[in-house]
Amino acid sequence: MADILVVGSLAYDDVQTPFERRREVLGGAASYFSLAASLYGRVRLVGVVGDDFREDDIARLRARGIDVSGIERASGRSFHWSGRYDYDMSTAESLNTDLGVFEHWHPRVPDGMRDVPFVFLANIHPAIQLDVLEQIRSPQLVAMDSMNFWLDHQRAAVADVMRRAHVVCINESEARQFAQTFSIIRAAREILELGPTALVVKRGEHGAMLFMREQRGVGGGQSPPPTLFWSPAYPLEKVQDPTGAGDSFAGGLVGHLAANGQAGADELRRAVVHGTVCASFAVETFSVDGMEAATPDAVEARYEVLRSLVAIGAEALADAAPPPPRR
Ligand code: AMP
């Protein structure tokens, strides 16, 4: 099992859905990611919190075996985000983003963490993502996430992060926004042309699409279409708070890749299913509670459910008589 380093927001969130509201709950991309990835192996978290960040919340991360020695405490307010969901419980409308101590923070990756092979650049200012990347010696795999807030204000820097990543994870609407197109396929092609080998487009309750750069050369001078894999979302009856679904997804995805030490096409497909499973735990409750309570056995059980959901079993094939050949 290879270690995973993550940098990203550690936050307090105010979340409203049409049904309920919670204030000042533990959130942040790095919190969700770490809790999910810690189901697979050792996570080292790099981030910053303000004076108001509760020691108990750091203890919750530590209790899951997450190395929190890379979390700095600075004077000022922690990152605060407030967002609202509509009845579809899909895309968040950001009502307020207060970067707090993240605004002027220059990350310092502790010496002992600079050789970490798997790196996840969770959602945060792209300059911080790049700064961390500069400090890592020779990562085997770099994955990244971003969001509309950064695409609105820092598009060129987000593109720079994409250029340096092997795996880009992004929401469907953000992929469209980035490439200025409605077509997800065209957006995928454009992002893959920047350099990553794989792109995951997260589609909420419609699952996630994995695009991989076609390795085989084809004639004709045209760039080949990206190879596609598509996982449905885990079928859930109860969705309380979609916040953190994407970060937890990334935790399952990178966690699985790090646990197996590789990122070939088959491993990436399995990793997308692991990501889907982790996202399902995150959305069942407010804040990180669902992700925190998840266990490797529960992950395995949901993985099997998803597998059977998309499998066309050998028996099913045997039962169905093949159609007669047409003349
Ligand atoms: P997700 O729902 O997976 O996209 O991530 C939600 C988490 O990201 C929340 O817990 C927020 O605290 C955090 N977040 C929201 N906006 C930003 C932003 N602009 N940069 C970094 N983190 C953010």
Side-chain angles (χ1 to χ4, degrees):
M1 159 75 208
D3 283 8
I4 304 166
L5 182 135
V6 55
V7 62
S9 54
L10 288 152
Y12 285 127
D13 293 344
D14 288 353
V15 180
Q16 294 173 47
T17 73
F19 317 103
E20 270 177 282
R21 177 172 195 164
R22 292 282 196 287
R23 290 177 204 269
E24 294 277 311
V25 293
L26 177 59
S31 315
Y32 282 103
F33 175 90
S34 301
L35 288 166
S38 69
L39 291 164
Y40 298 82
R42 185 159 170 81
V43 179
R44 290 148 176 274
L45 203 166
V46 173
V48 64
V49 296
D51 312 301
D52 55 347
F53 208 82
R54 297 180 285 261
E55 234 356 277
D56 284 2
D57 285 331
I58 295 184
R60 289 168 76 178
L61 301 171
R62 197 185 289 115
R64 282 285 299 271
I66 297 160
D67 178 355
V68 295
S69 63
I71 301 180
E72 283 175 47
R73 194 180 278 276
S75 74
R77 221 168 110 81
S78 297
F79 189 112
H80 276 70
W81 175 76
S82 63
R84 179 168 59 199
Y85 297 90
D86 207 339
Y87 280 94
D88 65 358
M89 299 285 264
S90 171
T91 315
E93 181 194 350
S94 288
L95 301 175
N96 189 39
T97 305
D98 174 2
L99 303 180
V101 288
F102 269 98
E103 188 161 8
H104 301 294
W105 181 60
H106 294 287
R108 223 195 63 79
V109 178
D111 248 358
M113 297 189 189
R114 294 183 182 206
D115 287 316
V116 164
F118 284 74
V119 177
F120 184 63
L121 307 170
N123 187 20
I124 196 62
H125 196 303
I128 293 179
Q129 296 178 315
L130 287 168
D131 199 344
V132 164
L133 207 45
E134 286 299 323
Q135 299 176 51
I136 308 290
R137 289 197 185 97
S138 50
Q140 188 182 333
L141 180 127
V142 175
M144 61 88 65
D145 189 12
S146 195
M147 71 179 284
N148 51 5
F149 183 85
W150 303 114
L151 291 175
D152 288 341
H153 307 294
Q154 302 283 335
R155 188 188 180 281
V158 173
D160 279 346
V161 184
M162 288 178 174
R163 272 187 200 98
R164 301 191 49 184
H166 302 99
V167 182
V168 171
C169 298
I170 201 161
N171 281 346
E172 180 178 38
S173 60
E174 289 149 5
R176 289 187 166 125
Q177 179 185 354
F178 181 84
Q180 302 275 291
T181 174
F182 172 78
S183 164
I184 290 297
I185 311 279
R186 195 173 306 151
R189 190 193 292 281
E190 198 168 305
I191 292 170
L192 288 176
E193 275 168 5
L194 292 174
T197 45
L199 165 72
V200 179
V201 177
K202 297 167 285 177
R203 308 187 66 221
E205 65 175 322
H206 304 296
M209 296 166 89
L210 167 70
F211 294 90
M212 289 175 282
R213 229 170 339 129
E214 185 59 77
Q215 304 296 323
R216 280 171 287 125
V218 282
Q222 261 207 331
S223 50
T227 305
L228 179 59
F229 170 74
W230 199 333
S231 168
Y234 186 86
L236 283 177
E237 200 165 326
K238 176 185 154 209
V239 173
Q240 202 173 28
D241 172 16
T243 310
D247 314 310
S248 306
F249 180 99
L253 179 124
V254 178
H256 176 78
L257 296 176
N260 289 280
Q262 50 184 309
D266 286 347
E267 223 50 76
L268 276 164
R269 289 187 180 91
R270 289 186 199 108
V272 165
V273 179
H274 275 277
T276 303
V277 167
C278 285
S280 75
F281 292 114
V283 303
E284 279 181 311
T285 63
F286 272 97
S287 183
V288 299
D289 301 5
M291 208 54 265
E292 191 178 24
T295 62
D297 283 349
V299 168
E300 217 37 64
R302 288 196 176 182
Y303 184 92
E304 283 310 314
V305 170
L306 266 179
R307 214 159 71 96
S308 61
L309 198 65
V310 294
I312 302 173
E315 315 81 64
L317 281 177
D319 286 350
R326 294 176 63 159
R327 292 175 178 272

